[in-house]
Amino acid sequence: MLEEAHPVLREDPVMAELVDRHDPYVEPDWNEYERLCISIINQQLSTASATAVRERVFDLLDGEVTPERILAADDAALRDAGLSRSKIEYLRNAARAFQESDYSRAGLADYSNDEVVDHLTEIKGIGEWTARMYLLFVLERPDVLPLGDLAVRRGIEQLYADGEELTRAEMREIGDRWRPYRSVATRYIWAEYESDS
């Protein structure tokens, strides 16, 4: 997807600079459930705080982050790792859902992006932001622009409006030039935003 996306993204001079500056696909090869757990942990936390909590939770589970291990884990130990009671509940809700249904790329292949969001948000604790992170990172759908993400919005404002506030409609208009690879562009925006923060 990256190779096909670059010619399209390079037509935007701002994005062309980001393509030359970053490699936004350098991250561990997490499985579907691990990735969903990471998105739940990341909810409403700064990047640094979320990373610290994730590392403690993954260490607690000896790196085996499976529905079975989450359901069997001790509540107090999960709280000590930095999870709130509600996030423990959300991780367990997701664990039970994963035991009952197929949320893999193959299992959701026939679902549209909106249908995936609807399907995932039926799980208590999975909101639209988390579902869009799943579309982007797990299913690797090529054309997702998650404007519900604060870092994406701030990144677009910094790159395209010198930090001035933009409406979501204005951001969507900027994002239109990246179609059909808005997911790839989003990763570059995050990479730039995180390198500045």
Side-chain angles (χ1 to χ4, degrees):
M1 179 165 61
L2 208 53
E3 286 175 16
E4 301 94 63
H6 280 165
V8 174
L9 298 184
R10 284 184 185 281
E11 290 176 17
D12 174 345
V14 173
M15 194 55 64
E17 281 185 34
L18 301 189
V19 168
D20 290 336
R21 208 161 40 229
H22 299 289
D23 181 357
Y25 283 84
V26 182
E27 65 174 26
D29 191 19
W30 288 304
N31 67 36
E32 289 95 337
Y33 182 68
E34 287 172 325
R35 187 67 241 189
L36 185 59
C37 286
I38 291 164
S39 291
I40 291 170
I41 290 166
N42 288 354
Q43 290 170 4
Q44 298 172 322
L45 289 179
S46 70
T47 302
S49 298
T51 299
V53 173
R54 184 197 76 224
E55 286 173 357
R56 289 195 299 267
V57 170
F58 279 40
D59 284 348
L60 174 69
L61 301 171
D62 297 322
E64 289 184 52
V65 184
T66 63
E68 294 70 28
R69 295 291 298 266
I70 285 284
L71 290 169
D74 179 67
D75 272 30
L78 290 170
R79 280 200 303 279
D80 287 345
L83 292 174
S84 64
R85 289 178 194 277
S86 58
K87 284 195 180 176
I88 293 169
E89 180 192 347
Y90 299 162
L91 291 175
R92 291 195 167 140
N93 291 343
R96 285 186 282 271
F98 266 66
Q99 288 179 325
E100 293 164 10
S101 295
D102 183 358
Y103 290 89
S104 69
R105 201 179 300 182
L108 295 172
D110 293 334
Y111 287 69
S112 70
N113 288 354
D114 287 342
E115 287 169 339
V116 170
V117 170
D118 289 345
H119 193 45
L120 281 166
T121 53
E122 288 172 7
I123 304 168
K124 187 174 188 292
I126 307 295
E128 189 165 322
W129 177 85
T130 305
R132 294 210 177 277
M133 295 303 103
Y134 198 82
L135 279 171
L136 222 148
F137 287 105
V138 177
L139 305 183
E140 294 187 336
R141 298 287 175 94
D143 199 34
V144 178
L145 181 63
L147 293 179
D149 187 86
L150 182 64
V152 171
R153 293 197 309 275
R154 293 289 175 272
I156 291 172
E157 287 169 348
Q158 285 173 5
L159 290 163
Y160 291 87
D162 291 324
E164 294 293 315
E165 199 169 314
L166 294 171
T167 66
R168 291 199 188 196
E170 288 169 324
M171 291 182 202
R172 271 191 287 275
E173 194 175 315
I174 289 166
D176 279 345
R177 64 187 83 161
W178 310 323
R179 287 180 186 272
Y181 300 109
R182 291 181 298 172
S183 298
V184 181
T186 295
R187 283 181 176 240
Y188 280 108
I189 288 164
W190 267 319
E192 176 71 8
Y193 182 78
E194 287 176 9
S195 72
D196 286 345
S197 55

